[in-house]
Amino acid sequence: MSPALHRARTQDQKHFRRQQILDAAKAHFEAVGYESFSMANLAKQAGVAKGTLYLYFATREEVFLALYGQSLLRWSDLFINSLRGDMSDRDYCQSLHNTAMADDGFVPLLVRLEHMIEHNVSFERLIETKRLFAARIKLIAQASAPVLGLTQAQATDLVKAMGLLLIGVSGADQVPGLHDETVPDDVQGFIDSFASENIFVTNACFIISGLRAGNAPSL
């Protein structure tokens, strides 16, 4: 019997087993996506019985909620570390977009968070994760405020707005592949104008300017 199948008894062993399941869940999600994600296949990949899986996560959505929490931590650390005092608004927005899109789990789970994932999790898990979200928003805002010349309150509104904007542009790049075709320059330019990065950066810069001028509504 492999070590993965031994019963976890101590708190350290249970923590290790939970992370083992989440590591397998991340790989399973990246391989098959949200709709095809299966708890039965996750149990096989994690090397645990399906019943054991439900000792750690009561529902499929609780797995996704935990995965989103981990992706939020990964992305926010990466983004904060990319910030510099001499960044332009555009550089800031491009870094936010590119670091978010570079994480295979962050945006796909963010898109489904409020409308799907959070509707089938325990109240305790939901409260725990909401507190994590609030702490991360505060941390990102604290790092962003001096870079952009915003107050803490303005930076907090900005971070919230950026999350909504990421959700809005998430499907912009899902167009039919034309990589093997010679596309006329005018058509290619039109297609490129709808790329997620272009739409995100342009609108995010407008939001920053509005906040700085005091013209953007508080969220």
Side-chain angles (χ1 to χ4, degrees), residues 20-79:
Q20 187 178 41
I21 292 169
L22 287 175
D23 290 343
K26 181 175 182 292
H28 184 35
F29 175 61
E30 290 174 359
V32 304
Y34 185 86
E35 286 73 18
S36 298
F37 187 98
S38 160
M39 291 291 270
N41 286 334
L42 171 57
K44 291 178 183 177
Q45 291 196 30
V48 300
K50 191 174 180 181
T52 301
L53 187 62
Y54 284 103
L55 294 176
Y56 294 88
F57 301 98
T59 66
R60 176 175 177 266
E61 286 73 22
E62 285 198 1
V63 176
F64 286 126
L65 189 64
L67 286 179
Y68 177 74
Q70 291 193 342
S71 70
L72 174 63
L73 293 175
R74 284 195 309 270
W75 165 73
S76 56
D77 285 343
L78 181 63
F79 174 60

Side-chain angles (χ1 to χ4, degrees), residues 19-181:
Q19 187 56 52
Q20 187 178 41
I21 292 169
L22 287 175
D23 290 343
K26 181 175 182 292
H28 184 35
F29 175 61
E30 290 174 359
V32 304
Y34 185 86
E35 286 73 18
S36 298
F37 187 98
S38 160
M39 291 291 270
N41 286 334
L42 171 57
K44 291 178 183 177
Q45 291 196 30
V48 300
K50 191 174 180 181
T52 301
L53 187 62
Y54 284 103
L55 294 176
Y56 294 88
F57 301 98
T59 66
R60 176 175 177 266
E61 286 73 22
E62 285 198 1
V63 176
F64 286 126
L65 189 64
L67 286 179
Y68 177 74
Q70 291 193 342
S71 70
L72 174 63
L73 293 175
R74 284 195 309 270
W75 165 73
S76 56
D77 285 343
L78 181 63
F79 174 60
I80 289 171
N81 288 334
S82 77
L83 298 180
R84 307 184 314 274
D86 61 346
M87 285 181 108
S88 66
D89 291 354
R90 187 169 189 84
D91 288 342
Y92 174 94
C93 297
Q94 284 181 324
S95 181
L96 195 155
H97 173 275
N98 293 344
T99 54
M101 294 298 183
D103 191 296
D104 290 333
F106 180 62
V107 174
L109 291 172
L110 174 64
V111 170
R112 296 172 171 87
L113 188 64
E114 291 190 357
H115 296 293
M116 301 173 72
I117 295 172
E118 291 184 342
H119 289 271
N120 194 28
V121 299
S122 70
F123 179 75
E124 291 76 14
R125 293 280 190 181
L126 183 60
I127 293 301
E128 174 187 315
T129 311
K130 289 292 187 184
R131 285 174 173 157
L132 170 64
F133 298 167
R136 278 287 140 166
I137 288 174
K138 182 178 180 180
L139 189 65
I140 299 167
Q142 287 174 338
S144 299
V147 173
L148 299 172
L150 300 175
T151 66
Q152 180 68 23
Q154 289 171 331
T156 299
D157 282 349
L158 174 65
V159 175
K160 294 176 183 177
M162 295 300 99
L164 296 175
L165 191 53
L166 279 173
I167 293 172
V169 305
S170 62
D173 297 326
Q174 298 177 10
V175 296
L178 298 173
H179 304 296
D180 297 328
E181 304 291 340

